[in-house]
Amino acid sequence: MAVVALDGSLAEAFVSALAGAPARRFELQLPDGPILIEAVASDDVFGDGLAEKIANAAGMIVVTQHGDAASMEELRRLFARLPQDVFLPTGHALPREPGRMEFKISCGNCGQKLWVADAHEGRPGRCPGCKQTFMIPSQPRHLAAVLQLSADTPVRILTRGDTASAVALVNELVERLAARDEAAHARQ
């Protein structure tokens, strides 16, 4: 399973949460057997190593910290570099520091970066720059909408260092992988 992030330290932090210690690679023991989890180095994200790492992975976890326009554009560029002939179960991890309850987005009208609070989800917000009003989204819904993710793509907020929530996301992807393999086998 490849863990990809625009900031390599985010990918390493996710793998380290699974390992319980600093790590770039970790073999996670699951009920159906072990799975190798590997952080893709940030220089591989836009270098030649990405396609090879992804082609050899069973699934992919994309770690994204911010939902602003610049970050979303970088993610679109990353997805454009992925091998088109390889379908991987993909999940998105949104890491937060313990106690952090807000995230960054961009105003859809003027592009100004805004910090919005989870507690304000569904309420009207107002850009201080252009005064445009908007509905404050949840971070997972915002990411899914901007990246046009399918409804079954897991997008989870994870507290940094929380092993249980990181393992739960990996398990979701392993289950999706098993379902995909079963469907392929049934078609044969």
Side-chain angles (χ1 to χ4, degrees), residues 56-135:
N56 293 322
M60 180 173 62
I61 296 171
V62 180
V63 185
T64 308
Q65 188 163 5
H66 300 297
D68 60 285
S71 298
M72 295 298 99
E73 184 56 34
E74 288 291 301
L75 279 176
R76 285 187 198 98
R77 283 185 43 221
L78 173 114
F79 291 150
R81 292 187 51 84
L82 296 177
Q84 297 300 312
D85 60 339
V86 176
F87 167 78
L88 295 176
T90 302
H92 292 262
L94 306 167
R96 301 261 185 98
E97 294 299 328
R100 183 119 196 171
M101 301 304 288
E102 65 274 335
F103 61 99
K104 186 172 29 172
I105 63 172
S106 293
C107 172
N109 188 52
C110 72
Q112 179 168 334
K113 293 181 181 179
L114 309 168
W115 284 94
V116 295
D118 293 332
H120 298 151
E121 176 188 353
R123 295 183 188 168
R126 185 180 190 139
C127 175
C130 69
K131 309 299 184 213
Q132 178 76 28
T133 59
F134 61 94
M135 294 302 285

Side-chain angles (χ1 to χ4, degrees), residues 94 96 103 118 138-145 149 155-157:
L94 306 167
R96 301 261 185 98
F103 61 99
D118 293 332
S138 72
Q139 189 177 16
R141 282 194 191 108
H142 174 70
L143 183 82
L149 302 176
V155 181
R156 305 286 180 261
I157 295 172

Side-chain angles (χ1 to χ4, degrees), residues 7-24:
D7 174 350
S9 67
L10 292 175
E12 289 179 32
F14 183 89
V15 175
S16 295
L18 292 169
R24 290 184 50 77

